[in-house]
Structure formats: structure tokens, C-alpha cells
Amino acid sequence: MRVIRRGGCGAGNGSHWVLALAMLAAAALPGCGALERREGVPPALTEKAVTPGAPNSRYWVDRDIGPVIRDVTQAVQREKAALAAAGKAAGALPPANFLAISGGGDAGAFGAGLLVGWTAHGTRPEFKMVTGVSTGALIAPFAYLGPRYDDVLRHVYTSIGPKDVYEARSIIGALTSDGLADNRPLWHLIAKYVTADFLAEIAREYEKGRFLLIGTTNIDARRPVIWNMGAIASSTDPRALELFRNIMLASAAIPGAFSPVMIDVEVDGTPHQEMHVDGGAMAQVFLYPPRLMDQARASGKKVAERERRAYIIRNAMLSPDWATTERSTLSIVGRAINSLLQTQGIGDLYRIYATTQKDGVDFNLAFIGPDFTYPHKEEFDTDYMRQLFDYGYQLAVKGYPWQKTPPGFTQEIGK
């Protein structure tokens, strides 16, 4: 049987989302109470909440992007200082390469394989900025630090299985908890590699003017949050390491399927908690705010003249697939949600493309082609991930044929 994978916020085929809906419906029955949590941030104070130990580490990009402009301006100054310290001649800045890695659950093996194959091809650049959502958030820190972490990407995306990501709860446990499965195994996997020394490496690169950004969804406010992971890594606060790990975990926390991550925050010294889930609930992939350069110029900031290239890795297929849908509630809902996630992801690509064309940034897109047909038996299927990693690797090691437009813009998928 031919099984086609689809990229979602974290799961690829939408099955977790369907089960989550069923669970939520059942949880509405009498006798099912909510778990306790610290008081959420009042709506009017949402943007005043800060994370202790890293108070300037995130952006509300759906509203005020002034903080983003401020940090980008400061990063350019740090970059110039780093170049001068390295003895690089003053003058035009080197090309800026941006990398955006999408969600897609175990289909993240495609992006991991592509990056490792890109290294082997000898043309992988250093990235001025790396962004990640969901499985992309798990890849992004290692992609940011470069080829010396290729072995980690290869190991994780070709050797783990379901037990390394989650522990399924019983039906009663699922109904009385905050997710169908406990994602503590994923926390331990993150903690194995994201250590204090790892954060120190991130901080050193951040000091050179580079950005590492991860997206989560504040489900209380129902708003996207972009975290400046370099700023967190640069914090001397002992809580920074746990915060860094929590953000990676939250970005991959499929709502209803996995437990959300509670982030401790303060508003004028008063403690609160925010509930964060998969960043893919807001966007499958992101680059930078579309109005960033225009608003920077309007505010009197000089935008550096330099060559800019954007590379977007979409850990999913983009072509539609045909399948007989059973005449049952869960089958119909699952198929519809799957379609919604796929079209959301394509819409994200169009938004990024429009932004890059407006700003003069070279657009490059990679995705899983319709020629990949290996059967997918379960979430985080080890054999499937090995095959998909090798698929991405083989494409990249030969010189990946980056697409210059989103799907359907000027050409049909797969042609």
C-alpha cells in the first residue's frame, strides 16, 4: 500500500489531531476536571509578561515589531565588530543566508538528511539566521551551529522510535490529563544534547550577529511567539538552560496529542504562567515579519545593502493525494484537518515568497517530492525516517534542485 506523508504541526497524517478532538469531546463530559495551573496573564498585560532570567528574549510579531528592528540593528553592529576582529576588510557586508525549517513530525528526517547531504556537497553556507517550528525547532539549533552537528542530526533522525518521543497514556489518563501522550521522553532526548556547553556555543555565535529563532503558540492569548534563542543562551541566569529546552519542547507539543509546556512569566513582579504549544498552530514555517524592512526604513534605520538568500525546507509533500475516505466522523474530520494543515503550509510559503520578492531576497524552496513513496506505519517510524533521511541526503549531495517559486505559482508540483 502506498502511504503518503503530510506535514502537520508535529504529526504528519493528522491522526493525533483527530484523536485529540475525540478526547476533548469526551473530556467535556461531567466528572472530567482540568489540571491545576498558575493564573494566566490577563489579556491587557499579555505583552508586558517577561520570562525571568531572559526578559528580552521574545517577540510578539503579530503586533509591535519594534523590538525585532532594535535587535536586528544591534546584530549588524555585532557582526561588523566580529568581522573587524577577524581581520576582515571593512566595506560591504558578506551575503546573508537565511534558513527556515518547517514542522512535519518524523518527516523532519527529510530536512535533517538534506542538511547533512548539503554539507557533503560542499556548498552549505553559514546562516545569518535560522528559524524553526515543531520538528524544525528540534533541528534548528544544530543547523545553526553548523556541520559539526551533522552526526547528531543523522543519529536522531535515523535511530529514534516512538518510545524516544512519547509515552502513550491510558484512556482514563488521557481524559484526565492534558494530552493523549506524555512527551517527557522527548524532553530527555533534548536534554541529552542541549547542555550548558551547547548553550555557550549558541551564545558565541549570537555575539557574531547571528540569529536563532523558534516559534511557539501562546494558546492562552492564541498568538504566535518568536523566541530569540541566542539571547536566552547568552543569559547568565541559571534558569536559561531549562527555558531553552522548554521552548524546543513546546514548539513540538502537538495540542491535544502531547502535553503543553507551562512557561513561568512575571508581570511587574507578579508570577503567572503561559501555556505554550506547537508553533505550527500559527504557522508551519516562518522567515521574518513581512513588514520588517519597510518599517525599519520608515523609522529612520538604515538597512544594510547586501546580498540576501532565503532557503526554506518544508518537511512535507506539497502535491495533493487521493484516498478513499471512510464514511465515519473521525475519518472525515481527519481528512479535513489534514487538508487544512497542508494548505496552511502552502499559504505560509506564499507569504514568505511575497516578502522575499518585495525585499530583494533570493527565494529557494525544498520539499518532499511525490517520488518518495516509502510506507509509513506509525508516528516516528524508524525505518520510514531512515529512508526519508537518505532521500533528502541523496538529493542534496548531488546538488539540490531548489525551487524558485512556491507550488502552483508558475509550475506544477513534481515537474
Side-chain angles (χ1 to χ4, degrees):
M1 180 178 68
R2 181 183 179 190
V3 179
I4 301 296
R5 282 279 300 174
R6 294 290 173 244
C9 290
N13 58 15
S15 58
H16 282 315
W17 289 87
V18 176
L19 292 174
L21 287 174
M23 184 194 77
L24 292 173
L29 296 174
C32 294
L35 298 175
E36 292 184 3
R37 56 165 291 185
R38 185 177 290 169
E39 182 182 1
V41 179
L45 302 177
T46 296
E47 294 177 30
K48 292 188 65 177
V50 298
T51 49
N56 297 308
S57 61
R58 61 184 185 171
Y59 311 116
W60 300 93
V61 294
D62 57 337
R63 297 282 177 84
D64 179 20
I65 64 168
V68 182
I69 295 172
R70 175 202 64 209
D71 287 355
V72 168
T73 302
Q74 293 174 357
V76 171
Q77 297 307 313
R78 293 199 305 274
E79 181 183 12
K80 289 179 178 178
L83 290 171
K88 301 292 177 64
L93 290 170
N97 296 291
F98 308 141
L99 175 66
I101 313 172
S102 84
D106 54 11
F110 168 73
L114 189 147
L115 285 165
V116 176
W118 200 353
T119 299
H121 185 257
T123 56
R124 177 176 163 184
E126 179 180 85
F127 298 105
K128 167 75 172 174
M129 179 180 72
V130 178
T131 74
V133 172
S134 197
T135 192
L138 303 179
I139 296 171
F142 304 100
Y144 177 80
L145 290 179
R148 64 183 178 277
Y149 281 95
D150 282 0
D151 286 345
V152 173
L153 291 178
R154 182 189 296 274
H155 174 73
V156 169
Y157 280 93
T158 63
S159 66
I160 68 167
K163 65 180 178 58
D164 300 299
V165 180
Y166 64 87
E167 294 176 357
R169 293 185 170 114
S170 66
I171 294 177
I172 297 299
L175 293 177
T176 57
S177 191
D178 52 7
L180 291 173
D182 187 338
N183 49 3
R184 276 183 295 183
L186 179 57
W187 161 263
H188 292 304
L189 183 63
I190 292 170
K192 176 180 178 181
Y193 296 105
V194 179
T195 63
D197 289 341
F198 186 85
L199 255 64
E201 289 188 61
I202 298 284
R204 284 194 291 272
E205 296 305 312
Y206 180 67
E207 187 57 31
K208 298 175 184 177
R210 300 175 63 213
F211 277 100
L212 171 61
L213 306 175
I214 286 178
T216 65
T217 298
N218 180 328
I219 204 69
D220 292 325
R222 209 163 72 177
R223 292 175 62 184
V225 179
I226 305 301
W227 297 86
N228 184 339
M229 305 301 280
I232 296 172
S234 299
S235 172
T236 58
D237 191 285
R239 293 168 289 187
L241 177 58
E242 182 177 8
L243 177 62
F244 196 105
R245 293 168 173 171
N246 275 339
I247 292 165
M248 291 179 65
L249 184 68
S251 189
I254 308 163
F258 297 152
S259 297
V261 176
M262 306 306 298
I263 303 289
D264 291 329
V265 297
E266 294 179 355
V267 179
D268 298 328
T270 301
H272 294 273
Q273 267 188 338
E274 296 173 344
M275 182 182 290
H276 285 255
V277 299
D278 199 315
M282 288 294 167
Q284 297 294 306
V285 62
F286 71 96
L287 192 60
Y288 58 80
R291 64 192 189 281
L292 177 65
M293 292 192 186
D294 290 341
Q295 190 164 319
R297 291 188 181 97
S299 63
K301 302 293 184 182
K302 183 180 180 181
V303 177
E305 295 296 330
R306 65 196 306 178
E307 185 179 353
R308 295 180 173 88
R309 309 183 195 97
Y311 297 93
I312 298 91
I313 298 176
R314 181 69 178 106
N315 292 305
M317 288 183 179
L318 302 184
S319 54
D321 69 308
W322 189 95
T324 299
T325 303
E326 296 178 6
R327 194 172 179 180
S328 68
T329 300
L330 292 184
S331 180
I332 294 168
V333 171
R335 187 74 171 159
I337 291 177
N338 210 15
S339 299
L340 177 63
L341 293 175
Q342 182 188 18
T343 54
Q344 177 201 11
I346 292 175
D348 293 334
L349 297 177
Y350 268 76
R351 182 174 61 251
I352 292 173
Y353 179 73
T355 301
T356 59
Q357 297 310 289
K358 174 176 65 69
D359 293 340
V361 180
D362 183 42
F363 178 91
N364 300 273
L365 171 65
F367 55 87
I368 303 172
D371 55 326
F372 183 77
T373 59
Y374 194 81
H376 181 261
K377 300 175 183 177
E378 62 178 340
E379 295 303 326
F380 305 101
D381 178 342
T382 306
D383 288 339
Y384 173 85
M385 289 192 292
R386 285 175 181 162
Q387 292 293 326
L388 188 53
F389 181 97
D390 187 63
Y391 171 79
Y393 178 89
Q394 293 299 333
L395 284 173
V397 79
K398 298 171 185 175
Y400 190 83
W402 296 92
Q403 301 295 302
K404 306 305 292 185
T405 60
F409 192 83
T410 58
Q411 57 192 19
E412 295 181 14
I413 290 295
K415 292 188 176 181

